[in-house]
Amino acid sequence: MTKTVLTIDGLSVGFGRKESIEAVTHDVSLSIKKGETLALVGESGSGKSVTANAILKLLPQGSSHYLSGSITFDEIDILSCSERQLRGVRGGRIGMIFQEPMVSLNPLHKVGKQLVETLSIHRGMRQKAAERLAVEWLRKVGIRYPEQKVNAYPHELSGGERQRVMIAMALINEPELLIADEPTTALDVSVQAQILDLLKELQQEFGMAMLFITHDLSIVRRIADSVAVMQNGKLVEQGECQQLFQSPKHPYTTKLINSDPSGSPVPVNEQAEELLTVNNLRVWFPITGGLFKRVVSHVKAVTDMAFTLKQGYSIGLVGESGSGKSTTGMAILKLLKSEGSVSYQGAELQGLDRTEMLPYRSKMQVVFQDPFSALNPRMSVAQVIGEGLRVHQELTDDEIDQRICEVMREVDLDPETRHRYPNEFSGGQRQRIAIARALILKPEFILLDEPTSSLDRTVQAQVLDLLKSLQEKYKLSYLFISHDLSVVRSLCHYTIVMKQGEIVEQGDTHKLFTQPKQAYTKQLVELSLL
């Protein structure tokens, strides 16, 4: 009989102070056996991450309360064991991949040092051996040039690369149980496939159990043995993976299964005016060396990017993590130095200083990939969303508050929550706050950098519908950066495929997806259909 590694029995968790504790999970019971993968699925805010963090008692002390139930890992009662005993389990016997790597990685330390530190603490490994193993694991999780990237700080890596560092950190000690909280959210389809294959291989090699939290049901089909579905803090259905997909019993499970992105981009006027023209855009980062720190080489992040975006159109920018998608977007917004031409409504932006760019800032907005890093934790949601209005428009406090409430309703957020802070919202809700902040100025152009990657499928469909309706209503133009090709197919009229900083293929989205010419594009399309 296969050994049960983890048992959660009747767990209820609440938040708040003693006089007003609100339960967020109710009577959750799960068990995972050695070598088994249990997928925990549900909408953003359903209690998946709360349940996962409770296993290692990582919920904030003081405001979180374990109201009832027990958590048992290999006969250790997690909720009543000592802090010393818990430290021996955390990171060593139970590994965890967190949802937001930029928040979880130490920004002051190189990624190599952080990997070496965990090996030193849990395995007592010597420095040189730990450094070699760190490089090996970065290579295992698909990071290019691992010998160089081991000396990089987290902010120097792309979103997908940071996520892969987190995966390496969680697996490097070969844990008995891996808790993976949205581990492939920021990864493109090709790397996602590599990571899932890697997790399967390691699971077979070490007999590792895995609790896999995700909103992407296509991943669940590929990796899970059994599935537990959560809604509003309760488990509504559990079962064997294939059986649950073939004959779901709960209407909520059916809704999740049927919520993949669909539909076509909004109708456009072919005679529309050109809004944004990019020519020969180049972003090369110098590499210095020697005594006088002369430039000896360059990291060629983006080379000779060129496209034209018309009013009311959407262009999709796809490619693997680190291919230069986000760098292209940041260069267009003049948030990074670049060479080449960026023209907005016929006006060249490249030579403009900060003051001269100010009129264009309200017209050109951005929604970043990682909402937690992009939102100021010291500002309430109302302050975050309304900040742009205070800078660019002269309105009274009441007018600003009214606009904030309107835009929050548009992105399916309750205006009554506007005085809360970002840390009080789920990952998906934080992304909707970021979208509301961009929309409130009613811009002409929005750079959307993986705006739906942290959203569950049902909310993703709502956000895509919202983006489409706003585009149709206000003739908005989008540059949409994504690794999810089904989302790109639904929203974008034209698609550009990037690899290692260069354009591999570009063209009409439907044609590019149905008749790809390049081998790399064919690979991306095939993986997206799995």
Side-chain angles (χ1 to χ4, degrees):
M1 186 176 172
T2 310
K3 175 186 172 186
T4 299
V5 176
L6 178 78
T7 303
I8 301 174
D9 187 21
L11 182 70
S12 297
V13 176
F15 287 94
R17 299 299 164 190
K18 287 183 179 177
E19 61 277 2
S20 58
I21 296 172
E22 184 182 349
V24 291
T25 67
H26 311 271
D27 198 27
V28 174
S29 296
L30 299 168
S31 67
I32 310 172
K33 292 177 181 176
K34 184 178 179 180
E36 181 191 10
T37 299
L38 170 66
L40 189 58
V41 302
E43 287 183 289
S44 176
S46 63
K48 306 187 301 293
S49 294
V50 169
T51 302
N53 283 305
I55 294 167
L56 288 173
K57 291 185 74 175
L58 293 175
L59 295 171
Q61 290 185 348
S63 62
S64 62
H65 306 272
Y66 299 92
L67 304 175
S68 64
S70 64
I71 302 169
T72 308
F73 171 74
D74 192 25
E75 298 183 2
I76 299 169
D77 186 344
I78 295 291
L79 297 185
S80 62
C81 72
S82 68
E83 189 63 30
R84 185 178 178 181
Q85 201 173 6
L86 196 56
R87 279 200 300 270
V89 172
R90 282 182 187 147
R93 299 184 67 192
I94 301 179
M96 187 157 185
I97 304 167
F98 294 95
Q99 186 174 353
E100 289 157 341
M102 196 59 184
V103 180
S104 307
L105 294 170
N106 190 326
L108 302 177
H109 293 306
K110 294 175 180 177
V111 297
K113 183 179 179 181
Q114 297 183 58
L115 288 165
V116 166
E117 186 178 34
T118 188
L119 287 168
S120 172
I121 291 169
H122 293 287
R123 289 167 69 174
M125 197 174 279
R126 291 182 179 274
Q127 182 79 14
K128 290 291 181 188
E131 286 173 358
R132 284 195 297 272
L133 192 57
V135 172
E136 187 185 321
W137 269 94
L138 290 182
R139 185 179 288 110
K140 259 187 175 183
V141 295
I143 288 183
R144 291 189 294 137
Y145 316 120
E147 293 85 358
Q148 295 173 21
K149 295 291 172 73
V150 78
N151 293 314
Y153 290 94
H155 73 270
E156 295 176 302
L157 303 177
S158 71
E161 286 171 327
R162 286 195 291 266
Q163 191 66 287
R164 279 177 272 177
V165 170
M166 281 297 306
I167 291 167
M169 197 174 291
L171 294 176
I172 203 165
N173 287 308
E174 301 170 9
E176 296 158 56
L177 170 66
L178 176 68
I179 302 169
D181 190 356
E182 304 278 7
T184 57
T185 291
L187 303 181
D188 53 89
V189 286
S190 56
V191 179
Q192 189 179 86
Q194 291 169 25
I195 293 296
L196 293 176
D197 289 343
L198 173 67
L199 290 173
K200 281 183 182 176
E201 283 172 28
L202 291 165
Q203 191 171 27
Q204 288 170 0
E205 188 178 340
F206 306 121
M208 180 176 70
M210 183 156 53
L211 177 62
F212 198 98
I213 298 166
T214 185
H215 60 259
D216 190 337
L217 297 189
S218 62
I219 291 174
V220 174
R221 280 191 180 97
R222 289 174 62 185
I223 201 166
D225 300 305
S226 53
V227 184
V229 183
M230 285 192 84
Q231 183 187 27
N232 300 327
K234 296 176 182 176
L235 282 176
V236 294
E237 186 168 355
Q238 289 190 65
E240 189 270 327
C241 184
Q242 195 174 353
Q243 188 179 353
L244 186 134
F245 275 99
Q246 285 175 351
S247 53
K249 292 171 183 168
H250 197 279
Y252 178 69
T253 310
T254 307
K255 179 186 169 187
L256 286 180
I257 291 169
N258 296 330
S259 60
D260 281 346
S262 59
S264 304
V266 300
V268 288
N269 175 14
E270 292 185 10
Q271 307 302 317
E273 292 182 9
E274 292 180 1
L275 185 75
L276 180 71
T277 305
V278 176
N279 269 315
N280 301 320
L281 185 70
R282 181 175 290 191
V283 184
W284 287 12
F285 298 106
I287 299 171
T288 57
L291 184 63
F292 299 105
K293 299 292 181 185
R294 290 195 178 98
V295 175
V296 293
S297 185
H298 288 88
V299 174
K300 298 177 181 180
V302 177
T303 303
D304 298 333
M305 170 59 68
F307 64 85
T308 298
L309 176 61
K310 289 184 176 181
Q311 199 166 22
Y313 278 70
S314 299
I315 290 181
L317 209 52
V318 303
E320 62 191 25
S321 176
S323 62
K325 307 185 300 293
S326 296
T327 303
T328 299
M330 296 301 102
I332 288 167
L333 293 175
K334 283 181 65 67
L335 298 175
L336 279 177
K337 285 186 179 179
S338 62
E339 297 175 11
S341 171
V342 178
S343 172
Y344 189 85
Q345 291 180 324
E348 181 58 53
L349 302 184
Q350 283 290 47
L352 303 184
D353 61 25
R354 187 177 176 181
T355 307
E356 291 167 331
M357 268 300 293
L358 201 57
Y360 294 98
R361 291 291 181 210
S362 61
K363 297 177 182 179
M364 305 170 74
Q365 286 292 298
V366 60
V367 176
F368 292 102
Q369 181 177 349
D370 185 346
F372 198 77
S373 301
L375 303 177
N376 189 330
R378 296 182 178 182
M379 293 169 71
S380 69
V381 166
Q383 290 171 322
V384 166
I385 295 172
E387 188 179 18
L389 287 179
R390 292 186 173 88
V391 173
H392 293 284
Q393 297 180 20
E394 293 182 11
L395 299 171
T396 65
D397 288 346
D398 286 344
E399 287 171 331
I400 289 172
D401 193 56
Q402 187 181 343
R403 290 274 292 274
I404 290 166
C405 292
E406 286 171 6
V407 79
M408 285 184 75
R409 287 190 198 98
E410 279 193 309
V411 298
D412 200 26
L413 287 170
D414 182 0
E416 294 297 314
T417 63
R418 66 189 183 280
H419 302 300
R420 293 185 190 173
Y421 289 83
N423 69 313
E424 298 177 67
F425 292 84
S426 69
Q429 288 169 324
R430 286 197 288 264
Q431 191 62 287
R432 279 178 271 174
I433 293 165
I435 292 169
R437 178 175 61 180
L439 293 175
I440 200 164
L441 287 167
K442 295 182 179 173
E444 299 165 338
F445 167 78
I446 302 180
L447 170 66
L448 298 159
D449 190 355
E450 303 274 13
T452 58
S453 64
S454 64
L455 303 180
D456 53 84
R457 287 298 197 191
T458 51
V459 178
Q460 190 178 80
Q462 293 167 20
V463 171
L464 283 174
D465 289 342
L466 170 67
L467 290 171
K468 285 181 185 180
S469 66
L470 290 164
Q471 184 172 36
E472 204 163 10
K473 189 175 179 181
Y474 300 114
K475 297 293 180 279
L476 288 170
S477 301
Y478 299 140
L479 180 61
F480 190 87
I481 296 168
S482 182
H483 63 264
D484 190 335
L485 300 196
S486 59
V487 173
V488 172
R489 190 196 294 255
S490 172
L491 185 73
C492 299
H493 306 91
Y494 192 85
T495 300
I496 298 170
V497 182
M498 291 186 75
K499 187 179 183 183
Q500 295 179 18
E502 297 184 359
I503 295 173
V504 174
E505 188 172 351
Q506 59 181 312
D508 172 79
T509 298
H510 179 72
K511 191 172 181 182
L512 189 131
F513 278 56
T514 53
Q515 301 167 22
K517 293 175 183 174
Q518 300 297 322
Y520 179 66
T521 312
K522 287 177 184 174
Q523 180 194 5
L524 289 181
V525 172
E526 285 167 7
L527 287 168
S528 73
L529 297 174
L530 287 176

